[in-house]
């Protein structure tokens, strides 16, 4: 039987592998006949239907009291914020470029977890988190003719990273109480009325069209990126330790850039390579610094959630 830490890392890796296709597939669908508003909201509606069916079939008990407010935080981050912001950003940003900016996510998740848990990590954690953020901003400002101002799509991507970091950290904590798949399912159901309204507005404004391949990509975003991937990811975070499992995210931008090259034919530029190395390295050092502080301070990781 796997130890809790190995099991947590294993589930985390499965989730990251599932999420690594999200940016390239989003780029595929928003580059076709689907509006970014439809892509960001429509995938959540499909996932909410699946989530409601799973919750009803297994007769899950309703969340209690303050858990609803925490679910609203999760929904705002990973159901509403990240999908919508990345969908609009990817109408102009390449998948490879976006992957480097999103590489900040492990460090941001760790920072939110530190603030949420009122921890006191070493100074190196804050230094490297700040350096990583600066590296991402500099990379976002790089253009073919040098350094300019960040494009509006980069600001959307940075907002998406912040939203996802908040949703990941709160969702990882809440998964220990509600269960891994239950947490994302309740978040999807809670946000369903808003996302259905946005999807309906998007359809009326611009009826979605696409090739079979584009619809298949949309289906992946709805079923895997928005639903099944979180089964594994929140399960891994719930088993923990959260700081250690969050390190698995560091391989996601590398995988995403590879998929962008293979599936979309995007070229790997020197700025993308250097920016990716800098951001990933800073995030790795920051997450490891927090992990070391957590192990010294507590001597153990997070408990395993009971409901699987």
């Amino acid at each position: 039987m796997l130890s809790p830490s190995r099991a947590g890392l294993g589930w985390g890796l499965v989730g990251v592998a599932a999420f690594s296709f999200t940016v390239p597939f989003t780029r595929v669908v928003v580059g076709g006949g689907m509006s970014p508003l439809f892509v960001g909201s429509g995938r959540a509606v499909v996932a909410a239907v699946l989530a409601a069916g799973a919750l009803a079939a297994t007769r899950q008990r309703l969340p209690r009291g303050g858990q609803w407010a925490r679910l609203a935080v999760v929904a705002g981050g990973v159901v509403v914020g990240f999908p919508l912001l990345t969908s609009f950003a990817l109408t102009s940003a390449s998948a490879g470029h976006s992957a480097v900016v999103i590489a900040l996510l492990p460090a941001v998740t760790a920072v939110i977890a530190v603030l949420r848990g009122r921890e006191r990590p070493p100074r190196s954690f804050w230094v490297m988190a700040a350096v990583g953020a600066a590296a991402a901003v500099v990379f976002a400002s790089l253009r073919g003719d040098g350094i300019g101002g960040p494009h509006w799509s980069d600001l959307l991507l940075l907002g998406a990273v912040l939203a996802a970091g908040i949703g990941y950290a709160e969702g990882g904590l809440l998964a220990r109480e509600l269960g891994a798949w239950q947490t994302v399912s309740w978040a999807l159901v809670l946000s369903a009325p808003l996302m259905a309204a946005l999807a309906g507005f998007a359809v009326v404004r611009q009826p979605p069209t696409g090739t079979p391949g584009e619809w298949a990509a949309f289906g992946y975003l709805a079923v895997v990126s928005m639903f099944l991937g979180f089964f594994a990811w929140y399960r891994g975070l719930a088993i923990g330790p959260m700081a250690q499992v969050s390190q698995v995210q560091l391989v996601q931008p590398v995988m995403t850039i590879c998929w962008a090259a293979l599936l979309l034919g995007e070229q790997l530029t020197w700025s993308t390579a250097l920016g990716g190395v800098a951001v990933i390295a800073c995030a790795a050092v920051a997450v490891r610094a927090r992990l070391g502080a957590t192990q010294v301070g507590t001597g153990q990781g997070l408990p395993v959630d009971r409901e699987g």
Side-chain angles (χ1 to χ4, degrees):
M1 182 178 180
L2 292 175
S3 65
S5 61
R6 287 179 178 268
L9 287 171
W11 282 110
L13 184 59
V14 172
V16 163
F19 294 149
S20 68
F21 288 95
T22 300
V23 169
F25 284 167
T26 301
R27 177 67 174 162
V28 168
V29 292
V30 298
M34 302 183 205
S35 70
L37 181 60
F38 172 77
V39 174
S41 58
R43 66 194 247 191
V45 173
V46 175
V49 172
L50 298 176
L55 291 169
T58 55
R59 298 183 179 181
Q60 296 294 315
R61 68 173 184 269
L62 289 171
R64 300 186 298 272
Q67 290 176 335
W68 285 110
R70 295 170 65 190
L71 281 169
V73 172
V74 176
V78 302
V79 179
V80 181
F82 187 84
L84 285 174
L85 291 173
T86 53
S87 293
F88 279 96
L90 283 160
T91 58
S92 60
S94 70
H97 179 95
S98 302
V100 175
V101 179
I102 294 173
L104 266 179
L105 188 52
V108 171
T109 301
V111 168
I112 299 299
V114 163
L115 297 176
R116 179 69 172 79
R118 298 180 180 178
E119 301 174 16
R120 294 184 178 180
R123 183 179 299 176
S124 59
F125 169 80
W126 296 108
V127 170
M128 295 313 298
V131 172
V137 171
V138 171
F139 167 77
S141 301
L142 287 176
R143 296 292 182 269
D145 55 352
I147 297 181
H151 193 267
W152 66 269
S153 61
D154 297 311
L155 300 179
L156 293 177
L157 290 170
L158 291 172
V161 167
L162 178 60
I166 294 172
Y168 280 177
E170 190 62 46
L173 294 171
L174 194 54
R176 288 180 279 164
E177 302 172 21
L178 298 177
W181 70 268
Q182 293 93 332
T183 296
V184 67
S185 294
W186 284 117
L188 285 163
V189 170
L190 182 63
S191 60
L194 171 63
M195 302 310 274
L198 291 176
F201 175 77
V203 169
V204 171
R205 185 177 181 182
Q206 179 183 331
T209 59
T211 65
E214 290 169 352
W215 281 111
F218 176 81
Y220 184 95
L221 294 174
V223 177
V224 180
S225 297
M226 199 80 258
F227 189 52
L228 295 181
F230 282 100
F231 283 37
W233 179 240
Y234 278 152
R235 172 66 174 171
L237 291 178
I239 293 174
M242 189 185 294
Q244 186 177 35
V245 174
S246 68
Q247 291 182 86
V248 178
Q249 284 181 296
L250 296 170
V251 305
Q252 184 172 331
V254 178
M255 297 173 70
T256 296
I257 290 172
C258 290
W259 300 141
L262 291 173
L263 300 176
L264 306 179
E266 293 186 1
Q267 297 294 320
L268 180 61
T269 63
W270 69 267
S271 61
T272 299
L274 292 179
V277 169
V279 174
I280 292 170
C282 292
V285 174
V287 172
R288 287 181 182 277
R290 179 184 176 248
L291 174 59
T294 301
Q295 290 175 333
V296 170
T298 66
Q300 60 185 10
L302 301 179
V304 179
D305 78 275
R306 299 176 183 177
E307 299 181 58

